[in-house]
């Protein structure tokens, strides 16, 4: 399947997908392109290094619909089938989501539905949570609300802060995101009544 990655910054999850792909762990997945909405996104360097075509569409001062239409044009002209959000810090329009219904996935650094939004680590620390983790989910019209595909937890220690918690969660993100992408591109995920069923071999 033809896959596009959307990112806004560091791109370490994009890197984990590139690595998995180069190691032959994503046999049904072709990373065709990267789209970033910020020209300073480090994800661009990763794309260059791995010869992945990239597009910079500056989102600043642009209406959501206009920005999303520009993305859709690129995705459609490249026959993209699956969209992977990897630290993409923008909410997608209804139109974009309906064009790629059940074909967009996101990774979030908490055990959803706990701590959605842009400050998941800080919110987990402030709530004095004992466990947190990460979630890969399908994207629907809400913020971090779509059907959950895979989750993994970590213990939050008494002396953890936002930074140490994110350092604990990130390696797990890098482990589960390629796994989910493999399942999705191998047609092993189904959504039944809002619940994701994973087909096992
Ligand atoms: C990750 O923590 C991811 O869960 C969240 O944004 C962060 C992106 O990091 N959605 P990176 O750009 O992939 O390094």
């Amino acid at each position: 399947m033809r896959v596009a990655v959307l990112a806004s910054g560091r791109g370490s999850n994009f890197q984990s997908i590139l690595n998995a792909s180069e190691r032959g762990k994503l046999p049904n997945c072709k990373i065709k392109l990267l789209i970033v909405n910020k020209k300073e996104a480090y994800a661009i360097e990763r794309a260059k290094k791995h010869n992945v075509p990239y597009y910079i569409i500056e989102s600043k001062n642009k209406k959501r619909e206009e920005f999303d239409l520009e993305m859709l044009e690129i995705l459609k002209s490249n026959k993209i089938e699956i969209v992977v959000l990897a630290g993409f810090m923008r909410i997608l329009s209804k139109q974009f989501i309906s064009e790629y219904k059940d074909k967009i996935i996101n990774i979030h650094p908490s055990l959803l539905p706990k701590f959605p939004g842009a400050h998941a680590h800080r919110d987990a620390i402030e709530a004095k949570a004992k466990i947190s983790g990460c979630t890969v989910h399908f994207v629907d019209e809400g913020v971090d609300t779509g059907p959950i595909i895979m989750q993994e937890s970590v213990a939050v220690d008494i002396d953890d802060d936002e930074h140490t918690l994110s350092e604990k969660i990130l390696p797990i993100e890098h482990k589960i995101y390629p796994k989910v992408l493999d399942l999705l591109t191998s047609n092993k995920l189904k959504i039944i009544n809002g619940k994701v069923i994973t087909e096992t071999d």
Side-chain angles (χ1 to χ4, degrees):
M1 281 200 202
R2 299 170 68 86
V3 173
V5 178
L6 275 46
S8 298
R10 180 176 59 180
S12 69
N13 278 288
F14 173 44
Q15 185 71 55
S16 75
I17 289 166
L18 292 170
N19 293 347
S21 174
E22 284 172 11
R23 288 186 198 126
K25 303 248 157 103
L26 297 171
N28 303 306
C29 164
K30 291 229 172 326
I31 311 297
K32 286 295 183 188
L33 61 96
L34 169 77
I35 298 178
V36 297
N37 65 321
K38 288 184 178 160
K39 62 178 183 316
E40 61 278 11
Y42 188 70
I44 296 170
E45 302 309 315
R46 304 181 193 270
K48 284 183 187 165
K49 206 169 156 206
H50 293 262
N51 294 314
V52 174
Y54 63 92
Y55 298 80
I56 303 170
I57 313 177
E58 283 286 349
S59 57
K60 223 174 166 188
N61 304 325
K62 212 172 264 177
K63 282 204 181 115
R64 187 174 317 289
E65 283 70 21
E66 185 191 343
F67 175 81
D68 283 7
L69 277 178
E70 281 183 46
M71 285 203 297
L72 277 174
E73 249 176 61
I74 294 170
L75 299 176
K76 296 286 176 187
S77 62
N78 285 279
K79 300 188 170 53
I80 296 301
E81 300 168 276
I82 301 286
V83 177
V84 174
L85 308 186
F88 186 65
M89 302 304 283
R90 276 183 73 80
I91 294 168
L92 296 165
S93 60
K94 280 184 182 172
Q95 188 193 345
F96 188 98
I97 290 166
S98 69
E99 292 277 351
Y100 278 96
K101 192 168 164 25
D102 302 337
K103 304 286 178 206
I104 312 170
I105 55 173
N106 182 42
I107 185 148
H108 182 77
S110 77
L111 296 175
L112 291 171
K114 283 271 185 198
F115 314 124
H119 305 289
H121 306 105
R122 188 171 79 195
D123 294 346
I125 295 292
E126 277 176 5
K128 304 184 178 17
K130 295 283 188 198
I131 54 168
S132 192
C134 56
T135 303
V136 181
H137 63 96
F138 283 108
V139 173
D140 66 6
E141 283 169 11
V143 176
D144 304 322
T145 51
I148 291 170
I149 306 169
M150 196 179 281
Q151 295 184 300
E152 204 166 309
S153 62
V154 297
V156 185
D157 293 322
I158 203 95
D159 52 357
D160 268 328
D161 58 21
E162 219 179 298
H163 178 70
T164 59
L165 181 58
S166 83
E167 281 185 337
K168 269 189 198 171
I169 294 175
L170 198 60
I172 311 174
E173 296 187 32
H174 298 162
K175 190 180 87 184
I176 72 170
Y177 215 8
K179 269 194 199 169
V180 169
L181 187 55
D182 181 43
L183 291 169
L184 181 60
T185 52
S186 308
N187 281 318
K188 288 185 176 163
L189 298 177
K190 280 194 183 61
I191 307 175
I192 298 171
N193 295 330
K195 208 169 181 177
V196 178
I197 314 290
T198 304
E199 217 179 87
T200 44
D201 294 316

